[in-house]
Amino acid sequence: MFDLWIEGWKLRELILNNEVRPREAAEFFLDRIERLNSKIGAFMTLTAERALEDAARLERLPAPARASLPLYGIPFSLKDLTWTKGIRTTLGSKNFENFVPRADQEYAARIMAAGGILLGKTTTPEFGGKPTTDGGLCPTAHNPWDLSRTAGGSSGGAAASVAAGMNPVAEGSDGGGSIRLPAACCSLVGIKPSRGRVSNAPVMGEGWAGFATNGPLTRSVRDAALLLDVMSGPAAGDPYWAPPPSCSFVDALKLRPRHLRLAAIAETSLASVDPEVRATFDTACKTMVAMGHRIEPLKLDPAALLKDIGQTLICAGISSIPLHDPDAVDPIVRAAWENGRRLSASEYIATVAKMHNVSRQIVQELLPYDALLTPTLPYPAVKLGTLYRSPEDSLEATFGWIPFTFPFNATGQPAISVPNGFTGSGLPIGLQIVGRPADEVGMTRSPQPLKRRAPGTTNTLPLRIEQPLQDRISD
């Protein structure tokens, strides 16, 4: 019918050309989820009946209406932090096990209105409070490249679903790296948009003092641009409004490339960078220089400047969630919740002000450059259950894994993680490209290294999986 690893935009073209029906696409991925989810742990809730109803509705549309929908017939998933009207939304927590929202979040409604077919809700750590997707109410998200390792977090279920071929595109959220981190772990493209690019309406004005936003996880930059085009745009009354882009993000991919002045940060005082991660980063930089781009190493450590601020504000964001049973919360997330509860209102306001002042200094330092390059993560996906030793040291462990990502949640700059090769054992490595404020178009035009094949595979998509599962994933 179509290739297992088909990109969303290609699937849409097949559907518009009547080579595939929306119902056939939905049934294909629903069947795949049913067969694989017990091993991968990507989905918390399936919406199979609704997906087939939506597919039937789309098939009844006249041809002009079909062609006007940018996501016509493309199956997708939403993270289980995203409010969905009439569909259970657990936030990964036993405290919200039976919560059914009365409204869709703005970006979710836009994806549905654009012709997307919702397959279900993907797994998340409790409240999105960890960079690994385990603990709490949701199943553990396993990395399709190595089932013993994490798919990342907090959008680990979203990333695992796309990497395992359960759906072509997924929505995720990012409050410190939670889109880019899983993208790097699973060899995907993940975009954290600019602050104010994607509306949080009607649930909140901002998430985690402006740290958190929502964006796409996909297998290609084109699919990521397509989904971001649909998700973008403010709702009336939003506190942050990113300026409209100079053109659509899909159209930006057609712009003629130009030689760029790029900054590079390869080290941080918060973590030691794995030698293989550093080697692939250096190779990517050399490749870009060979393409005619100018790269300048930058002696700047945004993570060190923002660590205390980030820890305080993320804990404060988690602590704002009302709990009827704190004892039921994952111990790592509860430690952050309790940490935030100790913060006074005046301390919170002072920390937000400090965040903006420090962020302003970082942005000004980066302004001479078209974009910034960093590794996405200092080391590849960890074995499940090994990141934390205890709740007491959990903040240090968390920020030791996200030092290259969380600073740009504070500054509000757009950032994308793209695949950048593999370790010798076949684990994916990511490259992060950070754009100027509100300039996803310029970031999209930045150079992106080609995805390299993992050792021992015949495909650039996940096949390094336990044999019983591999037989089904590669069918």
Side-chain angles (χ1 to χ4, degrees):
M1 182 169 59
F2 52 81
D3 183 81
L4 169 62
W5 306 112
I6 191 168
E7 295 171 28
W9 70 271
K10 291 181 180 178
L11 179 57
R12 176 179 179 271
E13 288 188 351
L14 290 179
I15 294 173
L16 288 175
N17 291 332
N18 296 316
E19 297 178 53
V20 178
R21 293 170 52 210
R23 183 183 179 94
E24 291 174 325
E27 288 176 336
F28 176 87
F29 289 108
L30 287 170
D31 177 69
R32 193 161 176 78
I33 294 167
E34 289 283 1
R35 290 188 289 116
L36 300 182
N37 197 52
S38 62
K39 287 285 186 75
I40 299 293
F43 280 84
M44 178 64 180
T45 300
L46 273 184
T47 55
E49 184 176 341
R50 172 179 172 147
L52 297 180
E53 291 174 354
D54 286 347
R57 175 180 52 81
L58 290 170
E59 290 178 4
R60 292 193 295 268
L61 294 176
R66 298 178 184 183
S68 70
L69 298 175
L71 301 180
Y72 180 75
I74 300 177
F76 74 99
S77 63
L78 294 170
K79 189 174 176 179
D80 206 26
L81 296 180
T82 295
W83 281 33
T84 41
K85 182 179 180 180
I87 300 171
R88 185 176 70 144
T89 302
T90 73
L91 313 183
S93 175
K94 292 180 181 178
N95 278 264
F96 292 87
E97 186 171 5
N98 299 309
F99 173 55
V100 179
R102 297 182 180 180
D104 290 317
Q105 285 197 247
E106 179 72 17
Y107 58 82
R110 292 181 183 186
I111 297 172
M112 298 170 197
I117 298 175
L118 177 63
L119 299 175
K121 308 294 289 291
T122 55
T123 52
T124 176
E126 199 155 10
F127 311 135
K130 291 164 58 177
T132 59
T133 302
D134 50 58
L137 183 65
C138 291
T140 295
H142 296 257
N143 192 320
W145 291 92
D146 181 342
L147 293 178
S148 71
R149 295 179 182 270
T150 182
S154 61
S155 305
S161 74
V162 176
M166 294 179 175
N167 60 345
V169 301
E171 172 268 335
S173 59
D174 192 315
S178 289
I179 289 174
R180 292 158 290 161
L181 189 160
C185 287
C186 296
S187 196
L188 299 176
V189 175
I191 295 179
K192 180 200 79 70
S194 301
R195 183 176 294 142
R197 179 68 66 204
V198 176
S199 175
N200 276 310
V203 179
M204 61 187 73
E206 63 177 14
W208 293 5
F211 269 64
T213 187
N214 302 78
L217 274 157
T218 66
R219 288 193 287 268
S220 71
V221 173
R222 181 166 177 174
D223 268 358
L226 177 64
L227 189 56
L228 185 58
D229 272 330
V230 171
M231 296 176 68
S232 294
D238 277 354
Y240 303 118
W241 292 52
S246 58
C247 64
S248 76
F249 302 125
V250 168
D251 286 344
L253 300 177
K254 305 171 188 176
L255 297 175
R256 182 179 178 85
R258 56 188 176 85
H259 292 166
L260 303 171
R261 183 186 182 191
L262 305 170
I265 298 176
E267 297 178 350
T268 172
S269 61
L270 269 62
S272 297
V273 177
D274 177 88
E276 289 184 287
V277 170
R278 178 59 190 267
T280 62
F281 179 76
D282 290 343
T283 298
C285 290
K286 290 175 183 176
T287 300
M288 293 178 191
V289 170
M291 294 167 63
H293 304 293
R294 179 181 173 185
I295 296 183
E296 301 175 20
L298 194 62
K299 291 185 177 181
L300 180 67
D301 192 352
L305 296 173
L306 287 162
K307 176 188 173 185
D308 293 341
I309 294 169
Q311 289 183 345
T312 297
L313 295 181
I314 288 176
C315 287
I318 294 172
S319 74
S320 68
I321 300 170
L323 301 179
H324 62 80
D325 185 6
D327 291 336
V329 175
D330 173 87
I332 302 300
V333 178
R334 180 171 177 178
W337 184 83
E338 290 176 340
N339 190 314
R341 299 282 285 186
R342 291 191 287 267
L343 192 69
S344 70
S346 60
E347 288 171 330
Y348 175 80
I349 292 172
T351 305
V352 172
K354 187 176 181 181
M355 177 193 77
H356 290 310
N357 286 332
V358 174
S359 294
R360 186 179 295 113
Q361 296 170 16
I362 293 170
V363 169
Q364 290 173 354
E365 186 82 12
L366 295 174
L367 275 182
Y369 303 96
D370 294 296
L372 166 68
L373 307 178
T374 78
T376 306
L377 293 171
Y379 47 94
V382 298
K383 289 275 188 181
L384 286 164
T386 63
L387 184 63
Y388 299 109
R389 291 190 299 271
S390 68
E392 289 71 29
D393 72 353
S394 57
L395 281 177
E396 291 300 314
T398 294
F399 280 75
W401 202 23
I402 64 171
F404 293 115
T405 56
F406 86 86
F408 307 106
N409 295 83
T411 66
Q413 293 167 265
I416 183 173
S417 180
V418 295
N420 191 38
F422 298 83
T423 67
S425 60
L427 294 176
I429 297 172
L431 173 74
Q432 180 176 235
I433 303 171
V434 182
R436 288 172 168 155
D439 188 21
E440 287 91 342
V441 168
M443 182 183 68
T444 303
R445 294 181 65 188
S446 301
Q448 296 148 13
L450 296 176
K451 185 184 295 184
R452 299 185 183 91
R453 293 182 179 179
T457 69
T458 58
N459 193 305
T460 55
L461 288 164
L463 294 177
R464 293 181 53 84
I465 301 169
E466 289 178 357
Q467 190 61 38
L469 184 59
Q470 179 173 327
D471 290 341
R472 291 181 285 176
I473 285 201
S474 58
D475 59 8

